Amino acid sequence: MARSSRKDEILQAALSCITEFGVEATTIEMIRDRSGASIGSLYHHFGNKERIIGALYLAGTAEYAALLETGFAQADSAERCIKLLVTSYIDWVVANPDWARFLLHGRGRVEAGELAERLREANHAHAARLHEKLAGYFDQQLFKAMPLDCFTAVIIGPTQDYARNWLAGRSRTPLAECRDLLAKIAWDSVRA
């Protein structure tokens, strides 16, 4: 996360506190102390702890989506697009392990909070962009026939499961070392 603005500094501080103390134990005061922001600045930018949590979640998913978008600009085949979905996810998780842990465990809280509609909109936009990028390959029947709502789970499911175990310290092999293998498995799972 870039430290280019006060808002970013607050989000970075929130992530640091959440990583150290957990979501429930983290308080506005902790975030204020760690960020150096005034209480007025915290409330000006976010309003409350739940909005900070929601903004942190949305910022993480947006950063991953931006990484994916950059890759899509160069991916010129169905295989490269599918593998990109896996490799971008792995690259982001490896570069941002604390943020990734938060995203893996914080979704339900955000879905139940004030920013639930913004999360739904962001997820819808992300899904639409994926569909747009892959539509031509679907039209060419380069993928196995399967329900569209299963397609992404088939691609990212094994990677997300391994990442969850790696982030929890339950896997010995570093996630980055599994990058090519998991990308190949994803492609093999969906190619016609």
Side-chain angles (χ1 to χ4, degrees), residues 89-112:
Y89 181 81
I90 290 171
D91 293 347
W92 190 85
V93 169
V94 168
N96 302 282
D98 292 337
W99 214 352
R101 278 185 205 90
F102 170 72
L103 292 181
L104 285 169
H105 301 292
R107 183 180 181 131
R109 187 176 185 129
V110 177
E111 287 176 331

Side-chain angles (χ1 to χ4, degrees), residues 108-175:
R109 187 176 185 129
V110 177
E111 287 176 331
E114 295 177 48
L115 298 181
E117 184 57 32
R118 282 188 48 203
L119 176 59
R120 278 189 289 280
E121 289 169 3
N123 287 341
H124 180 73
H126 180 68
R129 177 64 184 119
L130 290 179
H131 181 72
E132 175 187 320
K133 182 61 182 175
L134 299 175
Y137 303 127
F138 277 107
D139 292 345
Q140 295 171 45
Q141 299 181 344
L142 297 177
F143 302 124
K144 290 177 184 169
M146 69 179 75
L148 191 56
D149 52 357
C150 289
F151 188 76
T152 303
V154 168
I155 294 166
I156 204 70
T159 301
Q160 204 168 43
D161 186 60
Y162 194 82
R164 184 177 286 112
N165 286 319
W166 178 75
L167 288 165
R170 293 187 296 262
S171 299
R172 290 185 198 153
T173 305
L175 179 59

Side-chain angles (χ1 to χ4, degrees), residues 12-154:
Q12 183 62 48
L15 179 59
S16 177
C17 291
I18 289 167
T19 299
E20 188 173 344
F21 303 107
V23 174
E24 294 303 324
T26 295
T27 65
I28 287 279
E29 291 75 22
M30 290 172 165
I31 296 168
R32 183 199 65 219
D33 290 345
R34 188 136 325 162
S35 68
S38 68
I39 199 72
S41 182
L42 281 168
Y43 283 104
H44 168 74
H45 288 296
F46 300 103
N48 60 37
K49 177 181 159 182
E50 289 307 311
R51 288 188 194 148
I52 293 172
I53 290 167
L56 183 60
Y57 190 93
L58 289 167
T61 58
E63 188 170 292
Y64 165 69
L67 182 65
L68 194 57
E69 191 66 32
T70 298
F72 273 151
Q74 299 172 353
D76 58 358
S77 71
E79 180 178 1
R80 286 190 180 119
C81 287
I82 298 304
K83 288 182 173 180
L84 177 70
L85 290 168
V86 171
T87 58
S88 292
Y89 181 81
I90 290 171
D91 293 347
W92 190 85
V93 169
V94 168
N96 302 282
D98 292 337
W99 214 352
R101 278 185 205 90
F102 170 72
L103 292 181
L104 285 169
H105 301 292
R107 183 180 181 131
R109 187 176 185 129
V110 177
E111 287 176 331
E114 295 177 48
L115 298 181
E117 184 57 32
R118 282 188 48 203
L119 176 59
R120 278 189 289 280
E121 289 169 3
N123 287 341
H124 180 73
H126 180 68
R129 177 64 184 119
L130 290 179
H131 181 72
E132 175 187 320
K133 182 61 182 175
L134 299 175
Y137 303 127
F138 277 107
D139 292 345
Q140 295 171 45
Q141 299 181 344
L142 297 177
F143 302 124
K144 290 177 184 169
M146 69 179 75
L148 191 56
D149 52 357
C150 289
F151 188 76
T152 303
V154 168

